Amino acid sequence: MPLSEHEQRMLEQMERALYAEDPKFASALEGSGLRTYTRRRVYQAAAGFLVGIALLMAGVIVQQIWVSVVGFLAMLGCAVLVVTGWRKTPKPGEQAVGGPQARRQVRPKRSMMDRIEQRWQRRRDEQGH
């Protein structure tokens, strides 16, 4: 359920107060940790991909098919991790998915869901919540 306008204002006030009180701590919470973690994961997967290539080549050299298969599977798994990790990495200056900025962005909704949400809001307003 999305936040009401009052709740959004309260959240923004709390964010501003946090920035005013301790900007270093607030900037640490912004999502740069997620960006660093995701990049580290991508780099580890790229290194694993190189290990997979080495195993594939070693299997061909020593004529052990199972070593080549393990190397290929390692390459495949690491390639999937690199691609999915790279897509999830927030750009510098961007908030992480689910962060405060993501709540403010309006996504196009399906018409049925939009009507249900409007009815819900109307009922809440009528009851005085």
Side-chain angles (χ1 to χ4, degrees):
M1 184 166 116
L3 297 175
S4 68
E5 290 180 27
H6 176 69
E7 292 169 332
Q8 286 179 351
R9 283 193 303 267
M10 293 292 290
L11 181 62
E12 289 171 3
Q13 287 175 357
M14 290 178 357
E15 287 175 358
R16 283 192 296 265
L18 178 63
Y19 276 106
E21 188 175 308
D22 194 357
K24 192 174 189 180
F25 177 69
S27 64
L29 293 177
E30 276 187 342
S32 62
L34 177 64
R35 183 172 51 243
T36 303
Y37 168 76
T38 308
R39 280 206 182 129
R40 186 179 311 130
R41 183 175 158 207
V42 167
Y43 293 145
Q44 288 172 349
F49 186 83
L50 295 176
V51 169
I53 290 175
L55 284 173
L56 182 70
M57 294 299 193
V60 170
I61 291 171
V62 297
Q63 296 179 352
Q64 295 291 325
I65 294 178
W66 65 272
V67 175
S68 295
V69 170
V70 168
F72 176 76
L73 292 176
M75 289 171 50
L76 183 64
C78 289
V80 168
L81 286 176
V82 166
V83 170
T84 58
W86 198 260
R87 287 182 185 166
K88 292 179 184 176
T89 305
K91 306 291 184 267
E94 233 181 46
Q95 289 287 331
V97 177
Q101 295 293 336
R103 289 186 202 114
R104 293 184 197 125
Q105 294 174 353
V106 178
R107 290 182 178 172
K109 296 182 181 178
R110 294 176 292 176
S111 61
M112 182 182 79
M113 290 304 293
D114 194 33
R115 287 185 305 215
I116 291 172
E117 187 174 333
Q118 286 175 356
R119 288 180 196 159
W120 178 261
Q121 289 295 337
R122 208 174 321 128
R123 287 181 187 151
R124 287 189 69 192
D125 292 340
E126 289 172 1
Q127 292 176 355
H129 289 317

